[in-house]
Amino acid sequence: ATTEIYTLSLHDALPICARTLLITKRVKLHFFVSSLAPEIFSEGLKESTLSSHNLAPTDDIAVLRMSAQGPELTSMRWGLVTSGQRSAPKQVLRRPLINARQDKLATWRDWTTPFQQRRCLVITSGWIEWTMETPGDASSQAQTTLFAASRPPEPKRQAWWFRPAKGELLALAGFWNPWDPPGDPGRDSAALITVAASPALSRWHDRSPVVLPQSAWGAYLNPDTVDPQALLRSPGPGEIEVQPLAVGIGSVRNKAPSVLQPEGEVILAM
């Protein structure tokens, strides 16, 4: 048996969290968020959102927000549509804001109001990152070293699935905006929030989504919380496990379960 050796480069890391996924049942999703209230409304949650192995920007994601009725699960477009873009042509909306930096929330006008007034949780089975790596194995290290000067190993694009070390679902911090596009009234849009990666995750990327523990959900969703930024954090040691994946997830058109085919052993992020 051989052991794969990965050389990771933050310089070569691809954009942060450009894919997510959600693989669950409606009843399990309700149970996951049931600590917020005895009853969670979910009339706007599409069934197609609950079985999505490869969610890309502009796809629907599962969002938990506070509404006039109380906590509500609904489907939203991943990619924030700002107030100035609501009547913009389709081509303007094809490159949406999917992730917002925590350190810009107080200064970027299009982010400040939704973060203050319309915070939400994006419920996922994890997120996907890519790195550029130099692969090798223990049995060929000597040969690789011998011929390194004449033929260095080719870097390869590696996909990684970041998922909860315990349980099946994660709650990522985000915020949302109303949209109401023609032909799809009531559809809203949302973005995730990213922070500097914790030491546990920094070997893959210098930033990460915010994973909120259950104890912080109520305060984060409450628009009266004085300092919601104090709740934003990157996952710590032992909270996330990382599964290397085969190449199939690279195509946004590939939505089959096979996109999550493993390629190597699971790593507990410490």
Side-chain angles (χ1 to χ4, degrees), residues 32-56:
F32 180 68
V33 300
S34 61
S35 63
L36 278 175
E39 185 174 7
I40 306 288
F41 300 93
S42 61
E43 287 78 4
L45 184 66
K46 301 175 184 177
E47 286 299 324
S48 58
T49 310
L50 299 176
S51 183
S52 301
H53 297 80
N54 190 4
L55 285 166

PDB file of all heavy atoms in Angstrom, residues 32-56:
ATOM      1  N   PHE A  32     -32.753  19.373  12.572  1.00  0.00           N
ATOM      2  CA  PHE A  32     -31.483  20.072  12.758  1.00  0.00           C
ATOM      3  C   PHE A  32     -31.688  21.483  13.289  1.00  0.00           C
ATOM      4  O   PHE A  32     -30.908  21.965  14.113  1.00  0.00           O
ATOM      5  CB  PHE A  32     -30.730  20.109  11.426  1.00  0.00           C
ATOM      6  CG  PHE A  32     -29.396  20.816  11.479  1.00  0.00           C
ATOM      7  CD1 PHE A  32     -28.334  20.290  12.194  1.00  0.00           C
ATOM      8  CD2 PHE A  32     -29.195  22.009  10.790  1.00  0.00           C
ATOM      9  CE1 PHE A  32     -27.097  20.927  12.237  1.00  0.00           C
ATOM     10  CE2 PHE A  32     -27.969  22.656  10.823  1.00  0.00           C
ATOM     11  CZ  PHE A  32     -26.919  22.118  11.550  1.00  0.00           C
ATOM     12  N   VAL A  33     -32.747  22.164  12.848  1.00  0.00           N
ATOM     13  CA  VAL A  33     -32.968  23.561  13.253  1.00  0.00           C
ATOM     14  C   VAL A  33     -34.039  23.699  14.330  1.00  0.00           C
ATOM     15  O   VAL A  33     -34.405  24.821  14.692  1.00  0.00           O
ATOM     16  CB  VAL A  33     -33.336  24.429  12.027  1.00  0.00           C
ATOM     17  CG1 VAL A  33     -32.221  24.387  10.999  1.00  0.00           C
ATOM     18  CG2 VAL A  33     -34.659  23.990  11.404  1.00  0.00           C
ATOM     19  N   SER A  34     -34.529  22.588  14.864  1.00  0.00           N
ATOM     20  CA  SER A  34     -35.683  22.627  15.773  1.00  0.00           C
ATOM     21  C   SER A  34     -35.393  23.308  17.096  1.00  0.00           C
ATOM     22  O   SER A  34     -36.329  23.653  17.826  1.00  0.00           O
ATOM     23  CB  SER A  34     -36.189  21.197  16.030  1.00  0.00           C
ATOM     24  OG  SER A  34     -35.175  20.404  16.640  1.00  0.00           O
ATOM     25  N   SER A  35     -34.113  23.525  17.437  1.00  0.00           N
ATOM     26  CA  SER A  35     -33.806  24.184  18.703  1.00  0.00           C
ATOM     27  C   SER A  35     -34.259  25.646  18.715  1.00  0.00           C
ATOM     28  O   SER A  35     -34.431  26.239  19.789  1.00  0.00           O
ATOM     29  CB  SER A  35     -32.299  24.124  18.981  1.00  0.00           C
ATOM     30  OG  SER A  35     -31.577  24.829  17.979  1.00  0.00           O
ATOM     31  N   LEU A  36     -34.486  26.227  17.542  1.00  0.00           N
ATOM     32  CA  LEU A  36     -34.883  27.636  17.484  1.00  0.00           C
ATOM     33  C   LEU A  36     -36.336  27.855  17.871  1.00  0.00           C
ATOM     34  O   LEU A  36     -36.678  28.879  18.466  1.00  0.00           O
ATOM     35  CB  LEU A  36     -34.654  28.187  16.071  1.00  0.00           C
ATOM     36  CG  LEU A  36     -33.237  28.627  15.741  1.00  0.00           C
ATOM     37  CD1 LEU A  36     -33.148  29.030  14.275  1.00  0.00           C
ATOM     38  CD2 LEU A  36     -32.801  29.786  16.626  1.00  0.00           C
ATOM     39  N   ALA A  37     -37.198  26.924  17.518  1.00  0.00           N
ATOM     40  CA  ALA A  37     -38.626  27.087  17.789  1.00  0.00           C
ATOM     41  C   ALA A  37     -39.317  25.745  17.627  1.00  0.00           C
ATOM     42  O   ALA A  37     -38.836  24.879  16.882  1.00  0.00           O
ATOM     43  CB  ALA A  37     -39.234  28.113  16.837  1.00  0.00           C
ATOM     44  N   PRO A  38     -40.458  25.545  18.303  1.00  0.00           N
ATOM     45  CA  PRO A  38     -41.182  24.281  18.155  1.00  0.00           C
ATOM     46  C   PRO A  38     -41.657  24.044  16.724  1.00  0.00           C
ATOM     47  O   PRO A  38     -41.775  22.903  16.285  1.00  0.00           O
ATOM     48  CB  PRO A  38     -42.369  24.436  19.109  1.00  0.00           C
ATOM     49  CG  PRO A  38     -41.981  25.530  20.054  1.00  0.00           C
ATOM     50  CD  PRO A  38     -41.078  26.431  19.285  1.00  0.00           C
ATOM     51  N   GLU A  39     -41.950  25.139  16.019  1.00  0.00           N
ATOM     52  CA  GLU A  39     -42.458  25.012  14.650  1.00  0.00           C
ATOM     53  C   GLU A  39     -41.609  25.860  13.709  1.00  0.00           C
ATOM     54  O   GLU A  39     -41.374  27.036  13.964  1.00  0.00           O
ATOM     55  CB  GLU A  39     -43.916  25.456  14.570  1.00  0.00           C
ATOM     56  CG  GLU A  39     -44.541  25.227  13.211  1.00  0.00           C
ATOM     57  CD  GLU A  39     -46.038  25.548  13.191  1.00  0.00           C
ATOM     58  OE1 GLU A  39     -46.534  26.073  14.211  1.00  0.00           O
ATOM     59  OE2 GLU A  39     -46.681  25.278  12.163  1.00  0.00           O
ATOM     60  N   ILE A  40     -41.145  25.252  12.626  1.00  0.00           N
ATOM     61  CA  ILE A  40     -40.365  25.942  11.610  1.00  0.00           C
ATOM     62  C   ILE A  40     -41.157  25.913  10.307  1.00  0.00           C
ATOM     63  O   ILE A  40     -41.540  24.843   9.834  1.00  0.00           O
ATOM     64  CB  ILE A  40     -38.989  25.276  11.380  1.00  0.00           C
ATOM     65  CG1 ILE A  40     -38.219  25.134  12.695  1.00  0.00           C
ATOM     66  CG2 ILE A  40     -38.181  26.057  10.345  1.00  0.00           C
ATOM     67  CD1 ILE A  40     -37.688  26.412  13.278  1.00  0.00           C
ATOM     68  N   PHE A  41     -41.441  27.066   9.750  1.00  0.00           N
ATOM     69  CA  PHE A  41     -42.187  27.142   8.498  1.00  0.00           C
ATOM     70  C   PHE A  41     -41.244  26.841   7.332  1.00  0.00           C
ATOM     71  O   PHE A  41     -40.097  27.303   7.308  1.00  0.00           O
ATOM     72  CB  PHE A  41     -42.812  28.529   8.339  1.00  0.00           C
ATOM     73  CG  PHE A  41     -43.774  28.866   9.444  1.00  0.00           C
ATOM     74  CD1 PHE A  41     -43.348  29.554  10.576  1.00  0.00           C
ATOM     75  CD2 PHE A  41     -45.107  28.471   9.373  1.00  0.00           C
ATOM     76  CE1 PHE A  41     -44.223  29.854  11.605  1.00  0.00           C
ATOM     77  CE2 PHE A  41     -45.994  28.764  10.400  1.00  0.00           C
ATOM     78  CZ  PHE A  41     -45.558  29.458  11.518  1.00  0.00           C
ATOM     79  N   SER A  42     -41.728  26.079   6.350  1.00  0.00           N
ATOM     80  CA  SER A  42     -40.851  25.707   5.236  1.00  0.00           C
ATOM     81  C   SER A  42     -41.595  25.602   3.904  1.00  0.00           C
ATOM     82  O   SER A  42     -41.189  24.854   3.023  1.00  0.00           O
ATOM     83  CB  SER A  42     -40.150  24.372   5.526  1.00  0.00           C
ATOM     84  OG  SER A  42     -41.084  23.323   5.682  1.00  0.00           O
ATOM     85  N   GLU A  43     -42.662  26.389   3.754  1.00  0.00           N
ATOM     86  CA  GLU A  43     -43.426  26.327   2.514  1.00  0.00           C
ATOM     87  C   GLU A  43     -42.590  26.739   1.300  1.00  0.00           C
ATOM     88  O   GLU A  43     -42.818  26.274   0.188  1.00  0.00           O
ATOM     89  CB  GLU A  43     -44.665  27.226   2.604  1.00  0.00           C
ATOM     90  CG  GLU A  43     -45.780  26.693   3.496  1.00  0.00           C
ATOM     91  CD  GLU A  43     -45.497  26.914   4.981  1.00  0.00           C
ATOM     92  OE1 GLU A  43     -44.461  27.546   5.293  1.00  0.00           O
ATOM     93  OE2 GLU A  43     -46.293  26.446   5.821  1.00  0.00           O
ATOM     94  N   GLY A  44     -41.598  27.609   1.504  1.00  0.00           N
ATOM     95  CA  GLY A  44     -40.790  28.079   0.386  1.00  0.00           C
ATOM     96  C   GLY A  44     -39.563  27.235   0.103  1.00  0.00           C
ATOM     97  O   GLY A  44     -38.763  27.576  -0.773  1.00  0.00           O
ATOM     98  N   LEU A  45     -39.418  26.115   0.807  1.00  0.00           N
ATOM     99  CA  LEU A  45     -38.258  25.251   0.616  1.00  0.00           C
ATOM    100  C   LEU A  45     -38.550  24.237  -0.477  1.00  0.00           C
ATOM    101  O   LEU A  45     -39.429  23.380  -0.330  1.00  0.00           O
ATOM    102  CB  LEU A  45     -37.906  24.540   1.925  1.00  0.00           C
ATOM    103  CG  LEU A  45     -36.658  23.663   1.905  1.00  0.00           C
ATOM    104  CD1 LEU A  45     -35.404  24.497   1.691  1.00  0.00           C
ATOM    105  CD2 LEU A  45     -36.552  22.866   3.211  1.00  0.00           C
ATOM    106  N   LYS A  46     -37.824  24.321  -1.586  1.00  0.00           N
ATOM    107  CA  LYS A  46     -38.038  23.428  -2.720  1.00  0.00           C
ATOM    108  C   LYS A  46     -37.431  22.052  -2.440  1.00  0.00           C
ATOM    109  O   LYS A  46     -36.345  21.947  -1.875  1.00  0.00           O
ATOM    110  CB  LYS A  46     -37.407  24.022  -3.983  1.00  0.00           C
ATOM    111  CG  LYS A  46     -37.952  25.384  -4.369  1.00  0.00           C
ATOM    112  CD  LYS A  46     -37.183  25.954  -5.554  1.00  0.00           C
ATOM    113  CE  LYS A  46     -37.658  27.359  -5.901  1.00  0.00           C
ATOM    114  NZ  LYS A  46     -36.873  27.943  -7.015  1.00  0.00           N
ATOM    115  N   GLU A  47     -38.138  21.020  -2.874  1.00  0.00           N
ATOM    116  CA  GLU A  47     -37.632  19.658  -2.691  1.00  0.00           C
ATOM    117  C   GLU A  47     -36.306  19.460  -3.407  1.00  0.00           C
ATOM    118  O   GLU A  47     -35.435  18.731  -2.934  1.00  0.00           O
ATOM    119  CB  GLU A  47     -38.659  18.644  -3.194  1.00  0.00           C
ATOM    120  CG  GLU A  47     -39.866  18.472  -2.284  1.00  0.00           C
ATOM    121  CD  GLU A  47     -39.494  17.963  -0.893  1.00  0.00           C
ATOM    122  OE1 GLU A  47     -38.560  17.144  -0.791  1.00  0.00           O
ATOM    123  OE2 GLU A  47     -40.133  18.395   0.086  1.00  0.00           O
ATOM    124  N   SER A  48     -36.141  20.113  -4.550  1.00  0.00           N
ATOM    125  CA  SER A  48     -34.901  19.957  -5.316  1.00  0.00           C
ATOM    126  C   SER A  48     -33.681  20.465  -4.554  1.00  0.00           C
ATOM    127  O   SER A  48     -32.547  20.027  -4.791  1.00  0.00           O
ATOM    128  CB  SER A  48     -35.012  20.684  -6.659  1.00  0.00           C
ATOM    129  OG  SER A  48     -35.287  22.068  -6.460  1.00  0.00           O
ATOM    130  N   THR A  49     -33.902  21.404  -3.615  1.00  0.00           N
ATOM    131  CA  THR A  49     -32.794  21.953  -2.828  1.00  0.00           C
ATOM    132  C   THR A  49     -32.252  20.924  -1.844  1.00  0.00           C
ATOM    133  O   THR A  49     -31.098  21.022  -1.414  1.00  0.00           O
ATOM    134  CB  THR A  49     -33.257  23.202  -2.067  1.00  0.00           C
ATOM    135  OG1 THR A  49     -33.916  24.091  -2.961  1.00  0.00           O
ATOM    136  CG2 THR A  49     -32.091  23.942  -1.428  1.00  0.00           C
ATOM    137  N   LEU A  50     -33.053  19.934  -1.493  1.00  0.00           N
ATOM    138  CA  LEU A  50     -32.687  18.987  -0.440  1.00  0.00           C
ATOM    139  C   LEU A  50     -31.818  17.841  -0.941  1.00  0.00           C
ATOM    140  O   LEU A  50     -31.346  17.030  -0.139  1.00  0.00           O
ATOM    141  CB  LEU A  50     -33.952  18.418   0.202  1.00  0.00           C
ATOM    142  CG  LEU A  50     -34.874  19.449   0.865  1.00  0.00           C
ATOM    143  CD1 LEU A  50     -36.133  18.770   1.371  1.00  0.00           C
ATOM    144  CD2 LEU A  50     -34.157  20.171   1.990  1.00  0.00           C
ATOM    145  N   SER A  51     -31.643  17.735  -2.235  1.00  0.00           N
ATOM    146  CA  SER A  51     -30.822  16.656  -2.782  1.00  0.00           C
ATOM    147  C   SER A  51     -29.936  17.226  -3.869  1.00  0.00           C
ATOM    148  O   SER A  51     -30.125  16.958  -5.053  1.00  0.00           O
ATOM    149  CB  SER A  51     -31.707  15.540  -3.336  1.00  0.00           C
ATOM    150  OG  SER A  51     -30.919  14.464  -3.806  1.00  0.00           O
ATOM    151  N   SER A  52     -28.973  18.035  -3.449  1.00  0.00           N
ATOM    152  CA  SER A  52     -28.117  18.758  -4.383  1.00  0.00           C
ATOM    153  C   SER A  52     -26.664  18.440  -4.064  1.00  0.00           C
ATOM    154  O   SER A  52     -26.114  18.933  -3.081  1.00  0.00           O
ATOM    155  CB  SER A  52     -28.371  20.264  -4.276  1.00  0.00           C
ATOM    156  OG  SER A  52     -29.732  20.560  -4.554  1.00  0.00           O
ATOM    157  N   HIS A  53     -26.049  17.620  -4.905  1.00  0.00           N
ATOM    158  CA  HIS A  53     -24.685  17.161  -4.649  1.00  0.00           C
ATOM    159  C   HIS A  53     -23.620  18.128  -5.147  1.00  0.00           C
ATOM    160  O   HIS A  53     -22.445  17.970  -4.827  1.00  0.00           O
ATOM    161  CB  HIS A  53     -24.464  15.799  -5.305  1.00  0.00           C
ATOM    162  CG  HIS A  53     -25.333  14.717  -4.755  1.00  0.00           C
ATOM    163  ND1 HIS A  53     -26.648  14.557  -5.138  1.00  0.00           N
ATOM    164  CD2 HIS A  53     -25.081  13.752  -3.833  1.00  0.00           C
ATOM    165  CE1 HIS A  53     -27.173  13.534  -4.481  1.00  0.00           C
ATOM    166  NE2 HIS A  53     -26.248  13.036  -3.685  1.00  0.00           N
ATOM    167  N   ASN A  54     -24.030  19.130  -5.928  1.00  0.00           N
ATOM    168  CA  ASN A  54     -23.041  20.029  -6.527  1.00  0.00           C
ATOM    169  C   ASN A  54     -23.691  21.385  -6.772  1.00  0.00           C
ATOM    170  O   ASN A  54     -24.075  21.712  -7.892  1.00  0.00           O
ATOM    171  CB  ASN A  54     -22.517  19.423  -7.830  1.00  0.00           C
ATOM    172  CG  ASN A  54     -21.324  20.170  -8.400  1.00  0.00           C
ATOM    173  OD1 ASN A  54     -20.813  21.114  -7.802  1.00  0.00           O
ATOM    174  ND2 ASN A  54     -20.880  19.752  -9.574  1.00  0.00           N
ATOM    175  N   LEU A  55     -23.829  22.175  -5.729  1.00  0.00           N
ATOM    176  CA  LEU A  55     -24.483  23.478  -5.818  1.00  0.00           C
ATOM    177  C   LEU A  55     -23.479  24.540  -6.242  1.00  0.00           C
ATOM    178  O   LEU A  55     -22.460  24.738  -5.582  1.00  0.00           O
ATOM    179  CB  LEU A  55     -25.095  23.859  -4.470  1.00  0.00           C
ATOM    180  CG  LEU A  55     -26.378  23.127  -4.083  1.00  0.00           C
ATOM    181  CD1 LEU A  55     -26.688  23.346  -2.609  1.00  0.00           C
ATOM    182  CD2 LEU A  55     -27.536  23.599  -4.943  1.00  0.00           C
ATOM    183  N   ALA A  56     -23.789  25.222  -7.316  1.00  0.00           N
ATOM    184  CA  ALA A  56     -22.921  26.268  -7.852  1.00  0.00           C
ATOM    185  C   ALA A  56     -23.595  27.624  -7.701  1.00  0.00           C
ATOM    186  O   ALA A  56     -24.799  27.707  -7.440  1.00  0.00           O
ATOM    187  CB  ALA A  56     -22.629  25.985  -9.329  1.00  0.00           C
TER     188      ALA A  56
END
